[in-house]
Amino acid sequence: MKHEPLTEAELDELDEYLLSLDQFDDSMDMSMLDGFFTAIVCGQRLIPPSEWMRWVWDAENGEQEPAFESRAQAQRILGLMMRHMNGIVTTLMQAPERFEPLLMESPNEGDPIPIIDEWCVGFVTAMALDEPGWASVPPAMREGLDEIRLYGSLKGCEKLEQMNLPLEQHRATADGLAGTVRQVHAYFLQQRQSPEAAQKADRPGRNEPCPCGSGKKYKRCHGSA
């Protein structure tokens, strides 16, 4: 399998395939897939394709799977997906300062507005595959993840409508996504490389709200283990 990042033409090819899945109302688009893969490669636990693949076709329930037209098509599409994921890994490992989330934009009469909710939904979907791992993120790092959850969950979207944030703050959130990813990736990378660092991770207090967003105290949620 090739390991170089996808070209613009290959990104368009994969995006067109995902958009062509009319039989799947909840399949991911390219931006959501990028957020999904980013969280997978950043997280604490290695999540195999057999576990995450079904969520690409059914981001709501993770139950449906596509029927490829041929073996060649399956190999092509799955190959593009894995190369895109490997490209994210390579960038974060070798040149993290070059990482940028793949966001769509609204033209807005020549003043484009970044659309970040799709990317954030993908990221939050992947976080749910390893809730205990993401719950271990230290308090100092949670602000950026909380913003991703705000844009990437139904409850968060409802809250955003009530907040009616100014466009400048929306742009600032979009600009901060890359920094949050770099910070979280470096944190979990250190944990994977150093068991001692993982044991000393700054966890929330027993009576503090669990950072997974359940609303329960940490001791009665992920801290109960």
Side-chain angles (χ1 to χ4, degrees):
M1 179 182 295
K2 298 179 180 179
H3 293 285
E4 64 266 23
L6 299 187
T7 64
E8 288 294 330
E10 289 171 329
L11 284 171
D12 289 342
E13 179 184 350
L14 182 54
D15 188 37
E16 289 177 6
Y17 173 78
L18 293 171
L19 294 176
S20 72
L21 298 176
D22 296 333
Q23 70 272 35
F24 300 136
D25 294 334
D26 297 312
S27 61
M28 294 186 177
D29 58 26
M30 196 62 221
S31 183
M32 190 184 300
L33 183 69
D34 185 75
F36 185 66
F37 282 171
T38 300
I40 287 176
V41 304
C42 283
Q44 183 181 64
R45 182 172 70 89
L46 178 62
I47 301 175
S50 59
E51 187 173 342
W52 59 253
M53 185 75 70
R54 54 197 172 93
W55 294 95
V56 174
W57 326 117
D58 184 5
E60 185 69 25
N61 301 303
E63 296 177 352
Q64 300 188 66
E65 295 185 0
F68 291 106
E69 295 179 359
S70 65
R71 182 184 181 86
Q73 184 190 52
Q75 291 177 335
R76 176 62 176 173
I77 296 302
L78 297 180
L80 291 176
M81 288 171 55
M82 296 305 298
R83 274 183 54 205
H84 186 59
M85 176 181 279
N86 289 338
I88 297 173
V89 173
T90 300
T91 300
L92 289 173
M93 291 295 292
Q94 298 181 3
E97 71 282 356
R98 296 178 58 185
F99 171 81
E100 290 294 339
L102 188 60
L103 304 179
M104 296 183 290
E105 290 184 336
S106 173
N108 191 35
E109 299 181 352
D111 185 20
I113 301 174
I115 301 174
I116 65 177
D117 54 337
E118 292 292 313
W119 188 91
C120 291
V121 168
F123 198 99
V124 171
T125 300
M127 290 175 68
L129 301 181
D130 183 22
E131 291 184 354
W134 288 96
S136 71
V137 174
M141 294 184 178
R142 291 181 198 151
E143 182 177 355
L145 290 177
D146 286 344
E147 288 188 331
I148 291 177
R149 289 190 182 97
L150 188 64
Y151 281 86
S153 66
L154 180 59
K155 185 180 296 186
C157 288
E158 293 174 350
K159 186 176 180 179
L160 277 173
E161 291 182 0
Q162 298 173 358
M163 295 170 66
N164 193 26
L165 298 176
L167 182 57
E168 292 74 16
Q169 189 167 344
H170 174 79
R171 292 185 188 276
T173 299
D175 291 339
L177 291 176
T180 296
V181 168
R182 287 191 286 265
Q183 188 180 38
V184 172
H185 178 264
Y187 168 72
F188 281 128
L189 180 63
Q190 183 183 32
Q191 280 198 335
R192 291 193 294 269
Q193 294 176 341
S194 172
E196 293 80 8
Q199 293 174 359
K200 296 179 181 179
D202 186 7
R203 295 178 181 274
R206 285 172 51 77
N207 290 312
E208 292 181 11
C210 186
C212 75
S214 66
K216 300 178 181 179
K217 292 183 178 180
Y218 180 70
K219 66 181 180 182
R220 299 191 182 282
C221 194
H222 287 97
S224 62

